[in-house]
Amino acid sequence: MQKTAYVYVPTPSTANLTVGLERGLWGWRSATLDRAESRQAVSSLAEGDLLVLGHRGPNSRVAPGGWDGALLRRVIISEVTRPLFTADDEVWTDDDYPERIGMDVLEDVSPSEGVTLGSGAMEALRLSANKQGAAVLEPGVLEVTRFVESLPPVISGSDTGSISHDGETSAATTVLRRREQAKMRRSRFGNATRLTCSICGRVLPSRFVRAAHIKRRSAASPVERLMLANIIPACLMGCDELFEHGHIYVDRTGTIKASPKAEETADLAAVAARLAGQPVSGLTEDQEPFFSWHRRHVAQQS
């Protein structure tokens, strides 16, 4: 069963929170994990589990249940990408925090009026606040699921999908990724109803065009994932898949090329050849580092 760990981040640790989000890491002092079974909780986290960070809440010196309905200034939902490991390289400047997990931020909510989670989640965060930020483990993702369902749509009228309650443990994560895609679309394309595919140049209804990462999301840093320079409109008429799997790539001049990968079948080679030689639509100078990564690591071209 997918698990959720809750960690409270106090106001004085705002700078550490910023660094951790930029690096896709969260860390603890060894002494923090060695008390109150905290190490056991963090050690049980596996890839795909959820880590929820609550930031800037009320005074934690209250009785159990005292945070029920209390407001947090920020809630960050992330997916564990690397289970507990130790490292001594400098990440945070105020301390070492050698006990670390890798995380991928899926949702970052900070409304001006504050936000609250369900009573179980808020109690877990209150306990974490009283344990110097140790993780408090809860089985399942029900509290996160309910919270995500309560969020307003990213784009008015958009369908980011509903969460299944039939035991699909990855359902909340799936919907959160859809919300991320919707946010990128809004940032990159606004409310445009028609978009031009960067690869083939066709003008299509926006539902046929994807906000595609040039440098794969799985390889990009948390900052790179949100950079508009790393996003291109790629149509679902074949261009998105051809680029994603490296059958075509963009050279240093901004021209589309067919890679040897396209020679897998004659028909695939013919499709790639029809695109080869065309300039990328809407190319900007700051996109070249991302296209360079795609050439080397996906298309396997120098």
Side-chain angles (χ1 to χ4, degrees):
M1 175 185 286
Q2 192 176 19
K3 300 181 292 295
T4 306
Y6 293 91
V7 171
Y8 180 69
V9 184
T11 300
S13 297
T14 298
N16 284 352
L17 177 61
T18 300
V19 172
L21 296 180
E22 290 175 349
R23 295 288 296 272
L25 290 172
W26 195 248
W28 295 267
R29 298 182 180 93
S30 296
T32 299
L33 295 191
D34 287 336
R35 65 168 66 94
E37 299 183 345
S38 296
R39 183 176 297 281
Q40 179 180 349
V42 176
S43 296
S44 72
L45 293 175
E47 185 175 340
D49 286 336
L50 298 182
L51 174 68
V52 176
L53 304 176
H55 185 43
R56 294 181 60 197
N59 186 343
S60 63
R61 301 298 182 181
V62 294
W67 273 22
D68 193 6
L71 295 178
L72 300 163
R73 291 302 174 187
R74 191 175 183 185
V75 171
I76 297 151
I77 303 172
S78 64
E79 182 180 20
V80 175
T81 57
R82 183 179 178 184
L84 184 65
F85 67 99
T86 59
D88 57 7
D89 58 304
E90 182 178 299
V91 175
W92 299 274
T93 59
D94 68 322
D95 209 333
D96 293 334
Y97 306 106
E99 313 270 3
R100 303 171 184 176
I101 62 172
M103 64 178 185
D104 177 13
V105 174
L106 302 175
E107 187 71 31
D108 191 340
V109 182
S110 54
S112 58
E113 67 274 16
V115 64
T116 190
L117 300 172
S119 58
M122 293 303 295
E123 177 61 14
L125 288 168
R126 186 194 69 83
L127 290 171
S128 174
N130 286 312
K131 296 178 181 180
Q132 288 83 44
V136 176
L137 201 63
E138 292 288 330
V141 296
L142 184 58
E143 294 271 17
V144 176
T145 296
R146 289 172 175 166
F147 176 68
V148 173
E149 287 181 323
S150 73
L151 296 174
V154 176
I155 302 174
S156 178
S158 68
D159 178 16
T160 55
S162 59
I163 298 178
S164 168
H165 295 276
D166 60 2
E168 292 293 331
T169 59
S170 64
T173 303
T174 299
V175 173
L176 285 166
R177 292 201 186 282
R178 288 176 185 164
R179 287 182 60 84
E180 181 187 72
Q181 171 73 198
K183 288 178 183 178
M184 290 190 304
R185 289 183 65 87
R186 182 181 63 182
S187 297
R188 185 70 168 83
F189 309 138
N191 295 319
T193 58
R194 295 183 179 183
L195 295 171
T196 301
C197 175
S198 285
I199 304 299
C200 66
R202 287 179 286 197
V203 178
L204 298 165
S206 60
R207 66 182 180 275
F208 290 105
V209 181
R210 183 169 181 259
H213 282 99
I214 303 171
K215 182 176 182 179
R216 284 179 174 171
R217 186 186 186 284
S218 59
S221 70
V223 173
E224 289 174 329
R225 289 173 195 157
L226 300 177
M227 292 177 65
L228 297 186
N230 192 25
I231 305 296
I232 58 169
C235 77
L236 302 179
M237 316 298 282
C239 293
D240 181 45
E241 287 294 309
L242 289 168
F243 184 80
E244 169 70 17
H245 297 290
H247 300 302
I248 58 175
Y249 64 95
V250 177
D251 71 10
R252 291 180 178 82
T253 70
T255 304
I256 298 166
K257 300 287 187 181
S259 80
K261 286 187 174 184
E263 298 172 6
E264 186 175 345
T265 71
D267 287 337
L268 181 59
V271 171
R274 283 197 289 271
L275 295 169
Q278 296 189 53
V280 172
S281 173
L283 182 70
T284 58
E285 186 176 336
D286 54 355
Q287 289 178 313
E288 168 53 23
F290 298 112
F291 281 123
S292 176
W293 182 92
H294 179 270
R295 283 196 299 272
R296 298 193 311 273
H297 297 281
V298 182
Q300 298 176 352
Q301 300 296 298
S302 58

